[in-house]
Amino acid sequence: MGRLFGTDGVRGIANKELTPELAFNLGKAGAAVLSRDGKRPVFVIGRDTRLSGDMLENALTAGILAVGGHVIKVGVIPTPAVAYLVRRYGADAGVVISASHNPYEYNGIKFFNGEGFKLDDKIEEKIESIILAGIDSNMHQTGEAIGKCLDAGEDAHALYIEFLAGTFEGNMEGMKIVLDCANGAAYETAPTVFRTLGAEVITIGCEPDGININDNIGSTHPEKLQQAVVDNNADLGLAYDGDADRLIVVDENGEIIDGDKTICICAKMLKDEGKLNNNLVTATVMSNIGFHKFVKEKIGAEVEVTGVGDRYVLESMLETGCVIGGEQSGHIIFLNHTTTGDGTLSSLQFVKAVQKSGKKPSELASEIEIFPQVLVNAKVANENKNDYLKDKEIQEYIAEIEDEMKGSGRVLIRPSGTEPLVRVMIEGADTEKISRLAQELADRISEKYM
């Protein structure tokens, strides 16, 4: 068995790769590692709407209880809600059972620490090493030492909704908003928040049946949302993924506003309010060159660049004190409000930016020039995926391409984490030109390293 934890917890096909046995062992090992000072650890567990959620929740709970930990089950609720509730309840850890934007047959388990942050690599490695080594962390508790499920005493959904509403100033009276909840975890909480704030809300993707989560709907499939916004003459549309930690916006014309543009619009609002801490915005290497130009030229701020993945964005933000960062995919972190990406919270901040600007979403989005991006996969032998980094000829050719684009484009190459591929991305103003250059560079890499 290889490494269990990926970039966002443990994932796999439910009952095949992510089995009840593995969930049980994750519960035992997680409780053993995360217990502090010999005290019983308390875990908050939430899940999305997948059919396999009940099975994995009960197996995971059994593992935690067997080691003597206690569990607070909060049911179907967004991932970021668990990060918030861990802090609210004073729990030791949180666990979310979700595979985010993946199809329903997949599921996942990811942990948060007592401060609401995802576990760092070292702690995940401790949990993983216990399981892979076949160590029995059960400790064979008996009698009163066995854990139990606790009643939180307060309604988890109501607490989370109250928290979200508290991040928004004013109200949304007179606004018509379409919400696409991907038949996922936000199907109850997100509409309630927006209605509480006075918006007229039209919903799609709010009828989960256990197997329709992310099924041609949600942030990765916004086509239905785009049509619904136009059909209903709405002010804007907001789409989440299955666990509601991502946001994709649709403007009043049915056009998509991606994560890069959303971050730019919200960062400008923060700058205008004097809240853009350290005059800094955080993004990954995949963010568009137009993003960088807008942040530097229109906002007058700097961009801190990280590797791909929200955990790396967060790590950088914690180091620099930056309060806003994220990815093109719509995973956006507002560190002045919460500890992880939150699609609903991000959408509230976007609406706030629209209201404060006095402009329509399309007008705000048009201020950010997004350059075309072309991605070509270079097939290579798996053991050669990183060799291009030391190849003088390849590096010189990349420099020639960037020189040819004269500051109006860039080249980004990175090896695939799962396939024998090197991904070649070129960005620039001329689509035909960058397509040709990307293919030529990919061909060179394949010829040398296949």
Side-chain angles (χ1 to χ4, degrees):
M1 183 183 290
R3 180 171 162 82
L4 298 176
F5 285 89
T7 56
D8 201 21
V10 179
R11 287 193 188 176
I13 296 174
N15 217 23
K16 180 180 179 181
E17 296 163 338
L18 182 52
T19 62
E21 292 84 359
L22 178 54
F24 178 71
N25 287 329
L26 282 166
K28 288 197 301 179
V33 169
L34 294 169
S35 60
R36 295 181 292 188
D37 302 323
K39 297 179 181 178
R40 292 176 182 266
V42 176
F43 284 72
V44 176
I45 299 181
R47 59 184 175 85
D48 67 20
T49 57
R50 292 164 209 271
L51 186 64
S52 58
D54 286 337
M55 173 186 73
L56 295 171
E57 179 187 52
N58 286 308
L60 179 73
T61 298
I64 294 169
L65 303 184
V67 180
H70 294 324
V71 169
I72 301 172
K73 292 183 180 181
V74 294
V76 173
I77 203 164
T79 287
V82 173
Y84 166 73
L85 291 167
V86 165
R87 305 192 305 277
R88 178 64 184 252
Y89 291 147
D92 298 280
V95 191
V96 176
I97 301 168
S98 173
S100 188
H101 58 282
N102 293 126
Y104 88 94
E105 59 266 27
Y106 288 83
N107 218 324
I109 294 175
K110 55 186 170 186
F111 291 82
F112 290 95
N113 65 21
E115 296 177 327
F117 294 108
K118 291 179 181 178
L119 297 186
D120 64 38
D121 291 341
K122 290 182 180 179
I123 296 177
E124 285 187 345
E125 286 168 3
K126 285 183 181 178
I127 295 171
E128 187 172 86
S129 64
I130 290 172
I131 296 171
L132 296 182
I135 298 171
D136 183 9
S137 55
N138 191 1
M139 297 187 285
H140 304 286
Q141 305 284 21
T142 60
E144 294 182 354
I146 296 172
K148 61 183 178 180
C149 290
L150 304 177
D151 181 358
E154 297 178 279
D155 182 82
H157 289 77
L159 288 174
Y160 178 55
I161 289 166
E162 179 184 22
F163 158 69
L164 290 172
T167 69
F168 188 85
E169 300 171 9
N171 62 67
M172 300 183 192
E173 291 180 5
M175 294 191 73
K176 184 188 290 187
I177 297 173
V178 184
L179 297 182
D180 177 355
C181 296
N183 292 314
Y187 82 100
E188 290 183 321
T189 53
T192 301
V193 172
F194 279 88
R195 289 181 177 129
T196 298
L197 292 169
E200 178 185 347
V201 178
I202 298 161
T203 59
I204 61 175
C206 285
E207 297 179 350
D209 61 10
I211 63 175
N212 62 359
I213 187 171
N214 301 317
D215 187 9
N216 291 312
I217 204 159
S219 62
T220 53
H221 297 282
E223 298 83 11
K224 291 179 182 177
L225 177 63
Q226 291 175 277
Q227 190 62 52
V229 168
V230 174
D231 290 346
N232 290 281
N233 194 29
D235 294 295
L236 74 161
L238 304 163
Y240 312 120
D241 60 339
D243 69 335
D245 63 355
R246 297 187 189 190
L247 164 71
I248 292 295
V249 178
V250 170
D251 70 19
E252 75 280 4
N253 300 317
E255 298 297 325
I256 292 173
I257 301 176
D258 69 4
D260 274 356
K261 287 193 173 186
T262 299
I263 295 169
C264 285
I265 291 166
C266 291
K268 187 175 187 304
M269 173 187 69
L270 290 172
K271 179 64 180 284
D272 292 342
E273 293 178 334
K275 297 178 181 178
L276 190 63
N277 199 32
N278 294 333
N279 211 29
L280 197 63
V281 180
T282 304
T284 75
V285 292
M286 295 302 292
S287 288
N288 195 276
I289 192 172
F291 173 97
H292 291 262
K293 286 180 174 289
F294 183 86
V295 171
K296 291 179 180 179
E297 297 172 8
K298 302 296 184 182
I299 299 179
E302 295 298 318
V303 179
E304 181 75 15
V305 179
T306 76
V308 176
D310 65 284
R311 69 162 53 219
Y312 304 114
V313 172
L314 176 61
E315 286 174 4
S316 175
M317 292 174 71
L318 290 171
E319 289 176 5
T320 64
C322 176
V323 296
I324 182 170
E327 302 180 277
Q328 276 182 330
S329 63
H331 200 126
I332 305 169
I333 301 171
F334 287 84
L335 203 52
N336 52 337
H337 290 299
T338 191
T339 56
T340 189
D342 187 326
T344 311
L345 190 150
S346 296
S347 61
L348 291 171
Q349 301 311 301
F350 182 85
V351 173
K352 178 182 171 184
V354 170
Q355 288 186 342
K356 283 183 172 289
S357 73
K359 299 178 181 179
K360 294 181 177 180
S362 62
E363 294 174 315
L364 290 174
S366 68
E367 296 172 2
I368 307 147
E369 181 187 6
I370 295 297
F371 286 63
Q373 291 179 328
V374 172
L375 179 66
V376 179
N377 290 324
K379 294 182 179 180
V380 296
N382 205 47
E383 63 272 18
N384 297 334
K385 283 197 296 188
N386 293 297
D387 289 358
Y388 71 89
L389 291 167
K390 300 177 182 178
D391 189 309
K392 184 177 179 181
E393 180 184 334
I394 296 296
Q395 296 304 317
E396 287 178 350
Y397 186 60
I398 291 171
E400 289 175 16
I401 292 173
E402 291 182 330
D403 184 60
E404 187 176 342
M405 292 189 289
K406 300 175 181 177
S408 293
R410 63 174 180 143
V411 180
L412 175 66
I413 304 179
R414 63 188 184 94
S416 167
T418 57
E419 300 174 88
L421 300 171
V422 171
R423 306 194 189 282
V424 176
M425 191 275 284
I426 299 186
E427 199 170 66
D430 187 332
T431 303
E432 184 177 337
K433 183 177 183 178
I434 63 175
S435 297
R436 173 179 56 80
L437 291 171
Q439 189 62 60
E440 289 175 358
L441 179 53
D443 289 344
R444 286 199 183 198
I445 294 172
S446 291
E447 287 171 6
K448 293 197 74 172
Y449 297 112
M450 187 60 191

